[in-house]
Amino acid sequence: MDKRNRMIAIGLIGVGCLMIFGRWLGFFSIVALLFLLLGIYRTTSGKVKQGYKLLGVGAVLLMLDHLLLVLGICLISLGMFFVKSRRMQRRGGFMQKQSFSSRFDWDLSPWVMRSLSAWHVLGEADIDLSLAMAEDPETVMLFQGIFGDTDIHLSEDYGVEIEAFVLFGSIEFGSHRDTGMLNRLNWKSANYDSCEQKVKFNISYLMGDLDVRAD
């Protein structure tokens, strides 16, 4: 029954997309849409890596056929990023980065943790809070973009709050994993209010994977 419901949901999404964007759809767009729908189906079925590959192929085909549409989506995302960064980063001295591709390897050795706002088309972040050395009592880390892969290793030394949204992809927290569309995570550690060092994560991607692990 679950498989049937997934197929019905994906079919309805496909029909809705055809009704909305039908006049702009050419051959490449239809093929791209098929890859995207198949990628969504694979991710919801548990075949996450295969689903991501199909989603990537569909996105590339869509970019080739609708470059202006893709650029428009990127500009909207970037504009929303600036608004969110201004609202969340209330203290001065934070670092702000916008780039096509970025990678943060903060799980290999001790690192200095500063408030950060990062936007990218392609991004990857590996964050181990047990290796972090915070400069301020409260650190705000904002990651936003089109494609993203984020791994967060929690530590009892920090009170952590996470607000995350992934349109297509998956969010894994401990042993629980949500895959498919419209994935959300709102979580605050039990020691957040009492902890002297606090970290707030805000993560949002059109297509992505978020993995949160505890000690």
Side-chain angles (χ1 to χ4, degrees):
M1 182 63 69
D2 291 338
K3 183 177 181 180
R4 181 182 177 185
N5 289 337
R6 285 198 298 267
M7 292 297 295
I8 292 174
I10 293 171
L12 291 174
I13 293 169
V15 173
C17 291
L18 287 174
M19 293 176 64
I20 296 173
F21 303 108
R23 68 179 64 182
W24 298 291
L25 292 179
F27 173 76
F28 280 105
S29 299
I30 294 175
V31 174
L33 183 60
L34 292 175
F35 271 105
L36 291 173
L37 292 176
L38 185 57
I40 295 171
Y41 173 72
R42 290 301 186 186
T43 54
T44 56
S45 300
K47 299 179 180 179
V48 179
K49 291 185 178 180
Q50 187 179 19
Y52 285 159
K53 292 179 181 178
L54 293 169
L55 287 171
V57 173
V60 170
L61 291 175
L62 194 63
M63 289 177 62
L64 293 175
D65 202 35
H66 293 284
L67 184 58
L68 289 179
L69 175 62
V70 174
L71 289 176
I73 293 174
C74 290
L75 290 176
I76 291 172
S77 175
L78 185 57
M80 294 174 63
F81 164 76
F82 285 128
V83 173
K84 185 182 291 187
S85 178
R86 183 176 181 180
R87 186 186 53 174
M88 294 188 61
Q89 302 288 4
R90 298 179 180 178
R91 298 184 179 183
F94 70 95
M95 183 170 55
Q96 183 164 298
K97 297 182 63 176
Q98 302 87 231
S99 59
F100 179 82
S101 177
S102 61
R103 181 183 179 92
F104 302 96
D105 292 317
W106 293 332
D107 63 336
L108 303 177
S109 60
W111 56 285
V112 178
M113 182 167 61
R114 304 181 179 92
S115 290
L116 168 71
S117 294
W119 182 92
H120 35 244
V121 177
L122 301 171
E124 184 175 352
D126 295 311
I127 303 168
D128 189 343
L129 292 180
S130 66
L131 300 175
M133 297 177 291
E135 286 190 335
D136 300 308
E138 183 178 84
T139 304
V140 178
M141 308 195 78
L142 168 62
F143 296 94
Q144 184 172 328
I146 310 302
F147 301 94
D149 183 4
T150 304
D151 293 334
I152 302 174
H153 190 157
L154 302 177
S155 172
E156 294 182 354
D157 295 332
Y158 293 94
V160 180
E161 182 178 1
I162 301 175
E163 182 178 348
F165 172 76
V166 176
L167 182 60
F168 299 106
S170 66
I171 295 179
E172 183 174 355
F173 188 93
S175 59
H176 182 73
R177 185 180 187 91
D178 292 321
T179 61
M181 295 180 58
L182 302 173
N183 299 296
R184 286 188 177 276
L185 172 64
N186 291 282
W187 178 81
K188 183 184 290 187
S189 62
N191 66 337
Y192 184 82
D193 293 328
S194 60
C195 197
E196 295 182 358
Q197 299 286 344
K198 297 179 173 62
V199 187
K200 291 184 177 181
F201 289 97
N202 189 289
I203 301 166
S204 57
Y205 289 108
L206 292 181
M207 298 181 185
D209 181 32
L210 171 63
D211 185 3
V212 181
R213 293 171 288 122
D215 287 328

